[in-house]
C-alpha cells in the first residue's frame, strides 16, 4: 500500500481486544454510547469522518476526491471526510446519492460542491478516489434503485474506492452480497469490525480492512464474537521460553496418525508440532510407515500402533494427544481411536479428520467418551458427517453451527473455513483474521493439528491452542510468494520465524501479516496528530 508506514509500526499499537459485533449489536452499541452521555452523536460522526480522511489521504495522497453520500450516517461520515480533505487542500466534490441530504448537516459552512446523482459518472472521470457512503450498515437485502445503479456506476468508473464502515451492498452480519455491492480497495470501519466483513463473499469486496477507534465507550454487554489478533495471541497465549528450559517443560505430545499410504499426514503434523515447540513428539502410526516417519521427522519417536501396550504407554506419558490425520476409516481405526481416548483420561486431546469421521452420525457417543478438555478441528464436511446433517446446513451459518456443536459436544470446536471459527460454550466466538489461499492445499489441516497439539501439550487450553495455531500458521501461509505452488510442508519451516517476530525478536519487515484485516497504522497526518486504530 503506497504511502503507508513501516510494517513494524502497526504491531506496537494494535488492539489486543477487538470485538466483532453484528450490525444489530453495533447499532445497540451506538445507541448506548449516545444515550449514556458517553459521547455525542455529532462527535462520533466527526471522529469517523476525520479518521476516514486520514486513511484516504494516506492511501491516495494526490488528486480530486469525490464522495458518494447517501442520506444516512455513512453519508454524513463521507461528507466530514470530504470537508477535512478540503481543509487540507485537496480538491473535492460530493454526489448526493440519497433521498435527501445527509443528516446532520456536517459541512460547517465550507463551500463543498454538491452534485446530483445524474452527474456521478462525470464527477468520477478525473477523481483519484471515490468515497462510498451510499448505504449504511443495516441492509439485509439487495440494494434498491436508484442506489443499485449508483453502485454499478462507481464500480464501472475504474476509480479506486474507499468504503465508509464497509462496502455498500454487503450484509455486515452474514457477509452475504445479495445484489449490487461496492468493490472497495479500502474499507475503514469504525469502533470494531462488523463480523460480516470478515466473512465471504463480503470480505472480497472490502479491500484492505482497517478498524479505527472513534470514541466508543467499552461495550456494556460484549458482542458475541471477537477477533483472534496477533497481539492477543502474543500477550495471552505465547510464553517466551527461558534459557534454562528443558524439553520436559515444553510439553510431550503423542500424535496418532497415518495409515499405510498416508504417512505424509503424520509427517506434516509431527513437523508442525516440533516446529511449534513440543519438547518430545511420539508418533503412533502404521508399522509400514516407520521409516518414512523417522526420515521425514527424525526428531520424533515412533510407536507402532499394533502394540496396545506401547500405545497405552505413549498416551499415559503425554501432556496432550492429537488423533486423526491420515488415519483412514477402516473398522480397526475406530477401535484404535476408542482405546486412545479411553486411555488418555484427563489428558487434553485434539481430534481431527478421520478421528472425527470414525464417529460419523454418533456425536453423542463421541461427546461421552471425550468428557471435556478436548478440541475438535473439523472442516464443514467432517462436522456435517459427525452431526449427521447436510453440509449445506453448516455452510449456511457457520458461526451458529460452530456454537451449536461446541454446546452439544461439550468441547471446543475449531470449524475450519474462511474465516475459521473457534467456539466454546458460554464464551464469545473467536474468528480468525487471516484468510489466505495458502491454506487451500492438501495437508494444511494436518499441519494445524500438529501445531495446535503442541500448544495443548505446552499447557494452553483448547480454545487458546486453536487460536494460536490459526494465527501462526495463517501468518506462515500468507507470506508465501504465491498461493499457487505453495505447499503445506512450507508452513512448519516458517513457524519459528513467525513466533520470533510475534515475540519481538525480529522485525516484521517483509511479513505478510500486513495483508490481513485489522491492521493498525500510525501516520502523522496534516491537521492532526497521531491516532492509533484498532
Amino acid at each position: 500500500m503506497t504511502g503507508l508506514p513501516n510494517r513494524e509500526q502497526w504491531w506496537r499499537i494494535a488492539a489486543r481486544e477487538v470485538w466483532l459485533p453484528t450490525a444489530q449489536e453495533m447499532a445497540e452499541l451506538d445507541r448506548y454510547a449516545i444515550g449514556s452521555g458517553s459521547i455525542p452523536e455529532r462527535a462520533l460522526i466527526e471522529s469517523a469522518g476525520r479518521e476516514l480522511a486520514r486513511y484516504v489521504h494516506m492511501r491516495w495522497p494526490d488528486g480530486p476526491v469525490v464522495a458518494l453520500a447517501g442520506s444516512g450516517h455513512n453519508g454524513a461520515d463521507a461528507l466530514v471526510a470530504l470537508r477535512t480533505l478540503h481543509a487540507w487542500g485537496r480538491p473535492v466534490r460530493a454526489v448526493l446519492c440519497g433521498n435527501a441530504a445527509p443528516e446532520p448537516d456536517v459541512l460547517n459552512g465550507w463551500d463543498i460542491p454538491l452534485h446530483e446523482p445524474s452527474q456521478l459518472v462525470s464527477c468520477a472521470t478525473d477523481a483519484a478516489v471515490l468515497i462510498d457512503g451510499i448505504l449504511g450498515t443495516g441492509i439485509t437485502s439487495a440494494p434498491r434503485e436508484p442506489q443499485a445503479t449508483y453502485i454499478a456506476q462507481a464500480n464501472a468508473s475504474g476509480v479506486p474506492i474507499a468504503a465508509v464502515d464497509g462496502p455498500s451492498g454487503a450484509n455486515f452480519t452474514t457477509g452475504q452480497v445479495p445484489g449490487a455491492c461496492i468493490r472497495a480497495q479500502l474499507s475503514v470501519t469504525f469502533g470494531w469490525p462488523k463480523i460480516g466483513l470478515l466473512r465471504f463473499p463480503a470480505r472480497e469486496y472490502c479491500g484492505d480492512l482497517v478498524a479505527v477507534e472513534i470514541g466508543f465507550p467499552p461495550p456494556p454487554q460484549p458482542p458475541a464474537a471477537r477477533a483472534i489478533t496477533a497481539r492477543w495471541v502474543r500477550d495471552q497465549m505465547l510464553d517466551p521460553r527461558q534459557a534454562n528450559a528443558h524439553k520436559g517443560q515444553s510439553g510431550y505430545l503423542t500424535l496418532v496418525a497415518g495409515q499405510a499410504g498416508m504417512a505424509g499426514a503424520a509427517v506434516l503434523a509431527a513437523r508442525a508440532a516440533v516446529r511449534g515447540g513440543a519438547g518430545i513428539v511420539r508418533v503412533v502410526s502404521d508399522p509400514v510407515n516407520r521409516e518414512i516417519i523417522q526420515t521425514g521427522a527424525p526428531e520424533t519417536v515412533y510407536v507402532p500402533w499394533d502394540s496396545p501396550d506401547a500405545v497405552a504407554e505413549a498416551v499415559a506419558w503425554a501432556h496432550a494427544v492429537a488423533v486423526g490425520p491420515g488415519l483412514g476409516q477402516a473398522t480397526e481405526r475406530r477401535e484404535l481411536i476408542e482405546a486412545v481416548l479411553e486411555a488418555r483420561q484427563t489428558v487434553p486431546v485434539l481430534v481431527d479428520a478421520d478421528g472425527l469421521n470414525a464417529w460419523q452420525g454418533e456425536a453423542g457417543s463421541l461427546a461421552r467418551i471425550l468428557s471435556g478438555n478436548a478440541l475438535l478441528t473439523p472442516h464443514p464436511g467432517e462436522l456435517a458427517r459427525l452431526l449427521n446433517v447436510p453440509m449445506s446446513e453448516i455452510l449456511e451459518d457457520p458461526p451458529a453451527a460452530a456454537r451449536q456443536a461446541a454446546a452439544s459436544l461439550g468441547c471446543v470446536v475449531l470449524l475450519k473455513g474462511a474465516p475459521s471459527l473457534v467456539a466454546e460454550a458460554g464464551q464469545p466466538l473467536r474468528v480468525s483474521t487471516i484468510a489466505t489461499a495458502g491454506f487451500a492445499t492438501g495437508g494444511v489441516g494436518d499441519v494445524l493439528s500438529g501445531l495446535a497439539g503442541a500448544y495443548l501439550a505446552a499447557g494452553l487450553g483448547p480454545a487458546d491452542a486453536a487460536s494460536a495455531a490459526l494465527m501462526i500458521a495463517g501468518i506462515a501461509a500468507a507470506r508465501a510468494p504465491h498461493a499457487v505452488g505453495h505447499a503445506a510442508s512450507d508452513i512448519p519451516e516458517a513457524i519459528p520465524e513467525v513466533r520470533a517476530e510475534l515475540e519481538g525478536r525480529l522485525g516484521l519487515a517483509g511479513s505478510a501479516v500486513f495483508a490481513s484485516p485489522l491492521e493498525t497504522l500510525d501516520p502523522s497526518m496534516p491537521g492532526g496528530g497521531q491516532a492509533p486504530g484498532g
Side-chain angles (χ1 to χ4, degrees):
M1 291 172 62
T2 303
L4 296 181
N6 190 298
R7 287 185 171 107
E8 295 182 14
Q9 295 185 9
W10 75 269
W11 175 251
R12 298 190 179 95
I13 57 174
R16 176 191 303 166
E17 189 171 83
V18 177
W19 297 105
L20 298 174
T22 63
Q24 181 179 355
E25 286 174 329
M26 194 66 229
E28 292 170 356
L29 291 169
D30 194 74
R31 284 192 291 269
Y32 169 77
I34 297 166
S36 67
S38 298
I39 187 169
E41 179 181 45
R42 180 60 183 270
L44 286 174
I45 294 172
E46 289 289 326
S47 296
R50 290 183 66 81
E51 286 295 287
L52 175 61
R54 285 203 312 132
Y55 284 95
V56 167
H57 190 71
M58 195 169 33
R59 179 74 172 264
W60 298 279
D62 300 299
V65 182
V66 175
L68 312 180
S71 53
H73 278 177
N74 279 16
D77 296 339
L79 290 184
V80 170
L82 207 64
R83 188 196 78 211
T84 303
L85 291 163
H86 180 59
W88 292 345
R90 297 287 294 271
V92 301
R93 282 173 287 183
V95 178
L96 300 180
C97 296
N99 299 323
E103 291 288 344
D105 178 9
V106 295
L107 294 181
N108 288 1
W110 287 87
D111 185 16
I112 305 294
L114 303 178
H115 297 270
E116 294 298 317
S118 60
Q119 297 175 282
L120 190 157
V121 174
S122 61
C123 286
T125 301
D126 66 344
V129 57
L130 304 180
I131 296 177
D132 160 39
I134 299 173
L135 296 173
T137 61
I139 71 163
T140 57
S141 57
R144 300 177 182 146
E145 292 294 350
Q147 282 72 30
T149 294
Y150 305 153
I151 290 170
Q153 289 175 335
N155 287 339
S157 71
V159 178
I161 303 174
V164 178
D165 220 10
S168 292
N171 187 311
F172 282 47
T173 296
T174 67
Q176 293 301 305
V177 176
C181 187
I182 286 289
R183 281 196 174 273
Q185 282 68 50
L186 172 69
S187 294
V188 180
T189 191
F190 307 125
W192 298 276
K194 291 63 186 174
I195 189 170
L197 301 182
L198 268 67
R199 297 178 62 183
F200 284 87
R203 190 164 181 167
E204 295 180 276
Y205 290 78
C206 290
D208 295 312
L209 178 62
V210 180
V212 296
E213 194 280 320
I214 61 170
F216 284 105
Q221 179 65 39
R226 65 176 298 181
I228 301 170
T229 65
R231 185 175 173 188
W232 184 28
V233 169
R234 183 197 69 172
D235 291 353
Q236 298 296 313
M237 304 173 202
L238 300 181
D239 291 329
R241 187 165 295 180
Q242 301 302 314
N244 63 346
H246 59 80
K247 59 190 177 186
Q249 295 172 317
S250 303
Y252 295 160
L253 175 67
T254 289
L255 171 66
V256 184
Q259 68 171 354
M262 294 289 287
V267 171
L268 286 170
R271 287 172 59 188
V274 170
R275 293 297 191 180
I280 300 178
V281 178
R282 291 190 181 184
V283 182
V284 177
S285 189
D286 191 306
V288 302
N289 292 334
R290 178 170 191 158
E291 182 177 351
I292 299 172
I293 290 170
Q294 293 194 312
T295 301
E299 304 87 352
T300 65
V301 177
Y302 172 78
V303 178
W305 69 21
D306 60 357
S307 171
D309 291 342
V311 172
E313 193 276 329
V315 172
W317 159 89
H319 296 119
V321 177
V323 183
L327 277 183
Q329 299 181 44
T331 302
E332 55 268 31
R333 295 296 88 75
R334 168 69 177 261
E335 296 171 356
L336 171 66
I337 295 166
E338 286 182 333
V340 168
L341 294 181
E342 289 172 354
R344 64 117 185 171
Q345 298 183 1
T346 60
V347 172
V349 66
L350 179 151
V351 186
D352 181 37
D354 288 330
L356 296 170
N357 290 330
W359 302 86
Q360 182 172 338
E362 298 182 60
S365 298
L366 177 60
R368 283 190 291 274
I369 198 170
L370 288 175
S371 66
N373 206 15
L375 169 62
L376 309 188
T377 60
H379 58 54
E382 290 162 350
L383 185 60
R385 288 191 288 272
L386 177 63
L387 301 180
N388 199 26
V389 299
M391 188 165 68
S392 59
E393 185 175 315
I394 307 297
L395 295 175
E396 182 178 354
D397 191 349
R403 289 184 174 110
Q404 291 168 6
S408 63
L409 293 166
C411 56
V412 173
V413 173
L414 189 173
L415 178 58
K416 300 169 189 171
S420 292
L421 309 169
V422 180
E424 180 178 13
Q427 299 297 319
L429 183 73
R430 303 181 184 199
V431 182
S432 64
T433 55
I434 298 180
T436 170
F439 270 179
T441 185
V444 170
D446 306 322
V447 169
L448 199 62
S449 292
L451 185 57
Y455 294 146
L456 279 176
L460 291 185
D464 284 351
S467 301
L470 281 171
M471 175 57 66
I472 290 181
I475 295 172
R479 65 170 36 168
H482 200 289
V484 177
H486 172 71
S489 57
D490 298 330
I491 297 176
E493 306 316 306
I495 288 171
E497 184 177 359
V498 171
R499 179 158 181 167
E501 290 171 354
L502 294 187
E503 292 180 355
R505 298 175 185 273
L506 296 174
L508 282 168
S511 169
V513 179
F514 195 72
S516 70
L518 313 181
E519 307 303 41
T520 306
L521 314 175
D522 190 18
S524 181
M525 293 298 300
Q530 297 180 338

